[in-house]
Amino acid sequence: QVQLVESGGGVVQPGGSLRLSCAASGFTFTSYGMHWVRQVPGKGLEWVAFIRYDGSNRYYADSVKGRFTILRDNSKNTVHLQMNSLRAEDTAVYYCVKDVDFWSGLGNWGQGTLVIVSS
Amino acid sequence: QSALTQPASVSGSPGQSITISCTGTSSDVGAYNYVSWYQQHPGKAPKLMIYDVSNRPSGVSNRFSGSKSGNTASLTISGLQAEDEADYYCSSYTTSSTQVFGGGTQLTVL
């Protein structure tokens, strides 16, 4: 079965950097795009970024463009979210999500990793 | 990109049907048939319930159905059950090549 396991969350100071990772298994990783979605505890969902199956194209929400980078390593079945210039408003649970098909839907979700940006 | 508009809450009794609306614009919901719906129970990750407006993933009950008219999409849950009590989110692909979510709807089963 599909498994997505996020790691790398934690507490970081404003202006700092953090790299989230997501280890994928149970499906042909090289055939699917991957998303990151975040959720402030108690609030709604916010889409963050998407990378195509082969890494050829990446897409970002305006709120993170220029600060976050989504990457994938198809040899290791992993996807990463490099987060720079972090702000308090980036505090959230970050979910790694497998695409159903190009933009069709967000099919399988990891359990999430919490990022807290605070001094 | 503004969030899609959903009612904050809906409620229904067991066995009844309820519908949750999701209103966007011609740049998102109205532009493509890429509307999806998610169920989230407290403390859990969201779960995909509907994709491409009206398709159900394997394993999702056929009590859940989706539709779209113009800039508004809808999720209908028939034969309401206690386990359906959760938050529901709609989402759509946009003409800016991004994904946008609705603010979420809290479903209460009375």
Side-chain angles (χ1 to χ4, degrees):
Chain A
Q1 72 280 21
V2 173
Q3 275 203 308
L4 300 167
V5 179
E6 302 95 338
S7 60
V11 181
V12 60
Q13 291 190 339
S17 298
L18 210 56
R19 183 177 173 103
L20 305 183
S21 298
C22 171
S25 60
F27 64 101
T28 305
F29 184 72
T30 53
S31 295
Y32 290 91
M34 298 294 295
H35 299 262
W36 286 96
V37 175
R38 67 186 181 184
Q39 184 174 36
V40 174
K43 302 296 184 182
L45 300 171
E46 181 186 13
W47 175 82
V48 173
F50 171 69
I51 187 167
R52 292 202 69 180
Y53 68 99
D54 58 358
S56 59
N57 292 92
R58 310 172 195 181
Y59 308 84
Y60 300 94
D62 287 344
S63 58
V64 307
K65 198 174 297 182
R67 300 188 300 122
F68 290 12
T69 302
I70 187 170
L71 314 104
R72 66 188 297 156
D73 184 341
N74 281 353
S75 69
K76 296 182 178 178
N77 286 9
T78 57
V79 60
H80 305 280
L81 186 67
Q82 177 65 42
M83 304 186 295
N84 298 331
S85 302
L86 282 161
R87 306 166 180 167
E89 54 264 36
D90 296 318
T91 294
V93 174
Y94 285 73
Y95 293 102
C96 170
V97 191
K98 171 183 166 290
D99 199 37
V100 170
D101 195 356
F102 191 50
W103 297 110
S104 280
L106 287 73
N108 299 85
W109 297 61
Q111 284 307 298
T113 187
L114 177 62
V115 172
I116 299 174
V117 183
S118 174
S119 54
Chain B
Q1 184 69 47
S2 300
L4 307 176
T5 301
Q6 299 181 231
S9 63
V10 298
S11 63
S13 300
Q16 286 186 333
S17 293
I18 63 97
T19 296
I20 300 172
S21 62
C22 171
T23 301
T25 69
S26 56
S27 296
D28 38 63
V29 174
Y32 308 99
N33 288 326
Y34 288 152
V35 176
S36 48
W37 289 90
Y38 305 86
Q39 176 192 65
Q40 187 178 32
H41 287 109
K44 300 293 187 182
K47 174 186 176 183
L48 177 67
M49 307 302 286
I50 296 287
Y51 68 97
D52 289 352
V53 175
S54 59
N55 291 335
R56 274 187 313 275
S58 174
V60 171
S61 170
N62 59 10
R63 298 185 298 105
F64 291 83
S65 62
S67 63
K68 189 188 87 166
S69 177
N71 296 337
T72 299
S74 299
L75 173 72
T76 298
I77 308 174
S78 59
L80 210 56
Q81 299 179 359
E83 68 210 46
D84 299 332
E85 184 162 295
D87 292 328
Y88 290 84
Y89 295 89
C90 63
S91 187
S92 175
Y93 177 56
T94 80
T95 55
S96 301
S97 294
T98 61
Q99 191 89 9
V100 63
F101 283 97
T105 298
Q106 184 176 51
L107 169 61
T108 301
V109 180
L110 301 169

